[in-house]
Amino acid sequence: MVAVTVILSAIIAAFVFGMAGQIQTTHMVAATEQRTSTSTVTVTYMGGQDAKLLQGLGVTVDTNTTVDWFNASGTNGVSVGAIKTVPASNPGRNYIVVTGVFTDGSTQVIAQNTL
């Protein structure tokens, strides 16, 4: 009984004094990737529950090529259904990562695939 009390006290103290750190929420949006030719990949933004919080997207191909895709709608955010074509020269071996940037300043991987 004493051990349970001590453990619960430690957990409560950690939250009260901020030792547990910041817990980030996961945003619900999606994108798809598709190889459209031997040298290009097309990324389509599909939207989602938190679409209104998305400010922009970044597409990285093989960790060395980043294409920023911010304000693709011309206003605030990326339009659902927006398409971006990026260069990708190694068919079947390109590692594609789509990252979202949100209004709260957070970033999150939206999609990743090897094409």
Side-chain angles (χ1 to χ4, degrees), residues 8-96:
L8 287 176
S9 298
I11 292 171
I12 291 170
F15 281 105
V16 169
F17 295 114
M19 295 168 54
Q22 295 290 339
I23 298 173
Q24 293 184 341
T25 58
T26 300
H27 296 289
M28 301 297 292
V29 293
T32 61
E33 311 96 339
Q34 177 181 7
R35 181 162 299 275
T36 51
S37 74
T38 57
S39 61
T40 60
V41 170
T42 299
V43 178
T44 305
Y45 173 57
M46 306 303 287
Q49 177 180 338
D50 295 321
K52 64 182 178 279
L53 302 176
L54 182 71
Q55 284 187 317
L57 295 172
V59 180
T60 304
V61 180
D62 295 331
T63 69
N64 60 6
T65 304
T66 301
V67 178
D68 292 323
W69 188 9
F70 293 93
N71 298 322
S73 66
T75 57
N76 213 5
V78 178
S79 298
V80 174
I83 297 172
K84 183 72 169 181
T85 300
V86 296
S89 60
N90 295 320
R93 290 178 279 177
N94 290 116
Y95 182 62
I96 315 297

